[in-house]
Amino acid sequence: MTILQFPQGASIYQSGAASDAAFIVQSGQVELQTANGARKVLGAGELFGESELIKATNREGSARALSDTAVKAYTAPELEALLSSAPTEVQLLLHKLAEQLSAAPAPAAAPAPQKAAEQASQDPNDNMILGAKREMSAEEKAELSDLGAIMPLINDESVNDILINAHDKIFVERHGKLELTDITYQNDEAVLEVAQKIVKGIGRNIDLRRPLVDARLLDGSRVNIIAPPLAVDGTSISIRKFAKKGITLESMKERGNVSPQLADFLRICGKVRLNIIISGGTGSGKTTLLNAVS
């Protein structure tokens, strides 16, 4: 395995190049373009360029770095060893996915060049890069900042988590305690509409083909959405709210969350870029501590 660095805009590989390596994004973003012009954006942890687990064929598409990007390059034996070390259920899922892809109908011929851009702008499921790269308009930002019934919970700084288990079962976590609220949406369709607003903000869709999406709100709050057919009781949304005030090691030391010695130790660890494992239960402050150290 080799780690490769690419500056923004650099080509990782071009169509026709030898498929001697598969890649996993370590940091940054990668844009893939297939032979028929379709585009896709990949982030950290995603695999690309595998050419059916690196057969002796040339690339049929291209890949370039959308930002300063680091990727891990694996040769065929290295990739095989990586996949064989994965849990059994992951291997089964990969095999099933490969079978589905091989059984899928061949893609339609590429559209004429003068129509390609026109079609890309009309089809929200195509060329996801358009939604990921462009700036949201003021109207889109306003739409994303209004999520209906849960907005009072979004604006309530005492709320750490918002859990929409059903349109009439919305929970919050305050001070480490989970409580059912009296806030409801009209029906499951209204919850799905909220989910669509959220994923639209990151240039993605949620539908039968993509029923599971991780996203972020404009303020940085983490969102996980699961929709039918994976969610049997209707769309569910969990929101881990982003702290309005940044917490530093210095403020943690002043509040007595950490001792002065530990604060200095963690600061040094962050400065010299040591590997650190941060573990703990839900709401225990793992992300807060990680942000303070980094």
Side-chain angles (χ1 to χ4, degrees):
M1 184 271 293
T2 306
I3 296 180
L4 305 175
Q5 303 281 347
F6 295 92
Q8 181 177 356
S11 171
I12 298 174
Y13 60 76
Q14 292 289 341
S15 180
S19 59
D20 54 359
F23 306 91
I24 293 179
V25 183
Q26 186 176 26
S27 63
Q29 285 188 317
V30 172
E31 176 196 19
L32 302 183
Q33 183 166 352
T34 63
N36 64 2
R39 295 180 181 179
K40 185 177 181 181
V41 176
L42 303 181
E46 296 190 83
L47 173 71
F48 70 98
E50 67 277 7
S51 292
E52 295 182 273
L53 300 185
I54 316 179
K55 291 185 177 179
T57 57
N58 292 339
R59 306 284 186 194
E60 295 184 353
S62 61
R64 70 184 184 96
L66 290 180
S67 59
D68 290 346
T69 299
V71 300
K72 295 178 181 178
Y74 292 86
T75 62
E78 290 172 339
L79 183 62
E80 185 176 349
L82 177 69
L83 295 178
S84 64
S85 66
T88 303
E89 60 270 21
V90 174
Q91 294 186 48
L92 291 174
L93 182 61
L94 289 172
H95 287 304
K96 185 175 181 180
L97 179 60
E99 290 172 1
Q100 291 173 347
L101 290 175
S102 63
Q114 65 269 22
K115 294 184 179 180
E118 195 177 291
Q119 289 187 359
S121 63
Q122 292 174 351
D123 187 358
N125 290 317
D126 212 11
N127 290 0
M128 288 166 52
I129 180 62
L130 295 178
K133 281 184 66 177
R134 66 179 176 83
E135 278 289 320
M136 284 190 292
S137 67
E139 292 78 9
E140 288 173 318
K141 288 182 179 179
E143 182 181 20
L144 187 55
S145 64
D146 182 11
L147 301 180
I150 63 170
M151 284 311 297
L153 303 178
I154 296 286
N155 297 324
D156 186 344
E157 294 192 14
S158 69
V159 172
N160 295 321
D161 288 271
I162 303 169
L163 308 171
I164 304 176
N165 291 351
H167 75 277
D168 56 350
K169 293 180 182 177
I170 300 177
F171 293 80
V172 297
E173 186 265 309
R174 284 189 180 95
H175 311 299
K177 293 184 178 181
L178 201 62
E179 56 186 70
L180 178 65
T181 70
D182 56 2
I183 294 175
T184 62
Y185 283 96
Q186 185 175 359
N187 48 41
D188 288 333
E189 286 72 21
V191 178
L192 180 58
E193 184 177 343
V194 169
Q196 295 286 13
K197 281 185 180 181
I198 294 173
V199 298
K200 180 181 177 183
I202 59 169
R204 299 181 67 181
N205 292 311
I206 187 161
D207 49 36
L208 292 176
R209 292 174 56 199
R210 304 179 188 87
L212 185 62
V213 177
D214 291 316
R216 284 188 182 270
L217 299 183
L218 292 178
D219 65 357
S221 297
R222 299 199 305 263
V223 183
N224 177 264
I225 302 169
I226 181 169
L230 293 183
V232 295
D233 296 324
T235 303
S236 297
I237 304 173
S238 68
I239 301 174
R240 167 57 63 86
K241 290 177 60 181
F242 183 78
K244 300 292 190 254
K245 298 179 181 178
I247 298 177
T248 65
L249 287 174
E250 193 63 31
S251 63
M252 293 176 70
K253 181 175 71 174
E254 292 173 358
R255 296 174 185 174
N257 301 125
V258 296
S259 67
Q261 294 85 352
L262 180 56
D264 291 341
F265 172 75
L266 292 173
R267 186 177 293 108
I268 293 170
C269 289
K271 287 285 186 183
V272 299
R273 304 176 70 84
L274 292 179
N275 293 329
I276 303 173
I277 297 176
I278 300 176
S279 65
T282 302
S284 60
K286 298 184 296 297
T287 304
T288 300
L289 180 57
L290 174 63
N291 289 338
V293 173
S294 59

